[in-house]
Amino acid sequence: LRDRKLICQIIPFENRRQILVTHDATESARIEEMRRDFIANASHELRTPLTVIVGFLEIASATPDLDAASRAAHLKLMTEQAHRMQRLIEDMLTLSRLESVDYPMRAEPVVIAPLVEDVLQEARALSGGQHEVTASVDGPDIEGSAEELRSAFANLASNAVRYTPPGGKVKLSWTNGPAGPQFIVSDTGIGIDQRHIARLTERFYRVDKSRSRETQGTGLGLAIVKHVLLRHHATLTIKSEAGKGSNFIVTFPATHERATLPR
Ligand code: ADP
């Protein structure tokens, strides 16, 4: 029972006997701790850009004759920081929606080819021609939420571009694997050391904070992916080697299991 949080209560019973009631509160304590951590992390993430914005506003009001070039530079930085806050808030809202019991997934037939094509075009735009970004679609259509799947696939594709130096390759593929349909994103990027892999889908967990920020990351992308996949009974496998590249493999249930998807 070590490491478990037990709540014990003694209740008087007839004939001066007593009943000892124990309740294992380990799971609720863990959830409470995660909630506290999330609030602390989110506040910290929002405070950083806000501090920059407030700082520049103070400079601007204390310096009425600020020259046009400095004013323009300050406005540019403030806009960047405001966009960072916007991205964070969008991702936090998406996550809380995905976790909400009041927001059940609406499963519908999803035609995969145009969805992957959209994600491909978005990844190419993000790469700005600096990577070779390709896609191949050779798998069945599935049931699920097109909007959620698009967002999960786009997160994986954008990570592949963001964590691959210019000149590298990013490949998206939709295939029919032995366990069920698979969406695979492979890159020849910086890769991930094994010790980080199990924690990557935790909110705000990043291997390298500054690289994530430089490339406009919120630290919530893979947490969103995890929740979308949970709702689709799909799994995420991450295979990576530091310095060589990564494979993010999403496996959906085989056809006969998909018949039981919630509607
Ligand atoms: P972020 O916004 O920081 O990219 P994510 O939740 O999407 O947040 O990813 C969490 C962390 O996982 C990233 O900060 C990065 O360290 C690592 N990561 C994700 N995808 C890749 C990838 N394709 N290659 C290398 N590292 C990655």
Side-chain angles (χ1 to χ4, degrees):
L1 289 179
R2 228 183 331 140
D3 299 336
R4 300 208 73 79
K5 185 175 179 186
L6 297 181
I7 296 176
C8 302
Q9 205 182 358
I10 295 171
I11 302 173
F13 194 53
E14 54 197 23
N15 290 342
R16 285 204 253 137
R17 282 184 295 175
Q18 292 171 326
I19 300 176
L20 174 69
V21 179
T22 58
H23 166 65
D24 186 348
T26 316
E27 186 57 15
S28 46
R30 195 184 62 83
I31 291 170
E32 179 55 24
E33 190 185 329
M34 274 172 57
R35 200 184 61 85
R36 266 200 310 268
D37 281 356
F38 179 67
I39 293 175
N41 281 327
S43 313
H44 177 76
E45 296 285 338
L46 286 169
R47 190 174 56 186
T48 314
L50 202 53
T51 307
V52 177
I53 294 173
V54 171
F56 286 134
L57 284 174
E58 281 171 0
I59 294 175
S61 30
T63 328
D65 52 353
L66 199 66
D67 63 274
S70 309
R71 181 173 292 274
H74 285 171
L75 281 174
K76 182 168 177 278
L77 277 167
M78 285 201 291
T79 310
E80 278 167 17
Q81 298 301 317
H83 281 147
R84 186 171 147 197
M85 291 173 70
Q86 231 170 13
R87 281 195 302 275
L88 254 169
I89 290 168
E90 284 301 326
D91 278 359
M92 291 197 299
L93 287 173
T94 302
L95 253 184
S96 86
R97 245 196 337 263
L98 289 172
E99 282 183 318
S100 165
V101 281
D102 302 329
Y103 185 68
M105 189 186 78
R106 280 174 204 279
E108 59 193 359
V110 180
V111 187
I112 292 291
L115 192 144
V116 172
E117 178 62 27
D118 272 6
V119 174
L120 172 72
Q121 294 311 334
E122 223 175 89
R124 282 188 174 150
L126 182 66
S127 149
Q130 299 199 71
H131 309 84
E132 187 186 310
V133 190
T134 55
S136 79
V137 175
D138 183 17
D141 292 336
I142 59 168
E143 283 230 326
S145 155
E147 188 196 327
E148 290 181 20
L149 291 174
R150 200 184 166 291
S151 125
F153 291 2
N155 264 307
L156 294 174
S158 109
N159 279 353
V161 170
R162 289 167 49 235
Y163 297 107
T164 298
K169 291 183 183 166
V170 170
K171 182 159 196 268
L172 320 178
S173 43
W174 175 257
T175 61
N176 202 4
Q182 291 185 315
F183 179 67
I184 304 172
V185 180
S186 330
D187 66 58
T188 57
I190 60 171
I192 307 155
D193 199 279
Q194 289 307 307
R195 72 198 147 99
H196 295 291
I197 288 185
R199 300 196 58 192
L200 289 185
T201 56
E202 285 176 23
R203 296 144 185 229
F204 297 120
Y205 188 88
R206 293 143 158 150
V207 176
D208 176 351
K209 273 203 169 132
S210 55
R211 181 163 189 136
S212 158
R213 291 221 177 94
E214 271 163 33
T215 58
Q216 315 205 324
T218 60
L220 295 175
L222 289 181
I224 291 176
V225 170
K226 176 178 116 179
H227 281 280
V228 169
L229 300 189
L230 269 176
R231 286 156 71 88
H232 287 79
H233 306 284
T235 56
L236 176 67
T237 311
I238 305 171
K239 293 187 179 160
S240 187
E241 204 176 324
K244 293 230 163 128
S246 311
N247 284 309
F248 283 73
I249 304 159
V250 176
T251 307
F252 290 86
T255 327
H256 62 282
E257 289 165 47
R258 261 180 280 136
T260 61
L261 275 182
R263 278 172 192 274

